[in-house]
């Protein structure tokens, strides 16, 4: 099971994302106070639709829900998927602690 916390300080929300591989899907659950992101919770993300940006289940779902283009949640969900698929090393991710965009 992979887990991340996404701090969306611009919109004021924090989101806890948990993913677990089950067969050919990653089951994603999200704890959040954001109404749009709540609708993304308990997604069954097909593994074969996580690798490309064009045919990507998570990105398509974010588009359906009219998420802002600067929403960090889809990217965070894809990181969780990649950790569950062992494409992104969980130990490396934990050692790195975070990804950030620093405004100057």
């Amino acid at each position: 099971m992979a887990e991340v916390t996404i701090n969306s300080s611009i919109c004021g929300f924090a989101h806890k994302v948990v993913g677990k591989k089950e067969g050919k899907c990653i089951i994603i659950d999200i704890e959040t106070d954001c109404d749009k992101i709540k609708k993304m919770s308990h997604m069954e993300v097909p593994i074969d639709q996580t690798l490309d940006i064009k045919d990507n289940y998570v990105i398509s779902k974010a588009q359906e829900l009219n998420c802002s283009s600067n929403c960090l949640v889809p990217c965070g969900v894809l990181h969780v998927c990649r950790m569950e698929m062992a494409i992104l090393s969980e130990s490396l991710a934990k050692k790195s602690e975070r990804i950030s965009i620093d405004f100057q």
Side-chain angles (χ1 to χ4, degrees):
M1 184 170 69
E3 181 179 318
V4 300
T5 299
I6 302 166
N7 295 303
S8 301
S9 50
I10 287 180
C11 63
F13 293 109
H15 321 272
K16 181 179 175 185
V17 180
V18 177
K20 182 164 177 54
K21 185 177 178 206
E22 290 187 8
K24 294 184 179 189
C25 290
I26 309 290
I27 307 302
I28 296 291
D29 287 303
I30 305 172
E31 289 180 29
T32 183
D33 290 329
C34 175
D35 290 335
K36 285 184 183 181
I37 299 304
K38 282 180 184 177
K39 294 175 185 171
M40 289 180 75
S41 190
H42 204 72
M43 284 190 292
E44 294 186 19
V45 181
I47 288 173
D48 63 351
Q49 292 182 37
T50 61
L51 301 174
D52 190 24
I53 198 77
K54 185 177 178 185
D55 298 314
N56 189 297
Y57 184 88
V58 176
I59 300 300
S60 295
K61 189 69 169 174
Q63 288 174 333
E64 278 177 35
L65 297 172
N66 292 316
C67 289
S68 170
S69 61
N70 62 349
C71 181
L72 299 174
V73 174
C75 181
V77 168
L78 289 171
H79 277 75
V80 168
C81 289
R82 290 187 176 108
M83 284 191 289
E84 273 301 287
M85 295 162 43
I87 293 173
L88 173 60
S89 164
E90 192 168 347
S91 61
L92 175 62
K94 286 181 179 181
K95 182 179 176 184
S96 299
E97 293 185 11
R98 70 182 57 85
I99 319 173
S100 69
I101 299 170
D102 299 319
F103 296 100
Q104 305 297 317

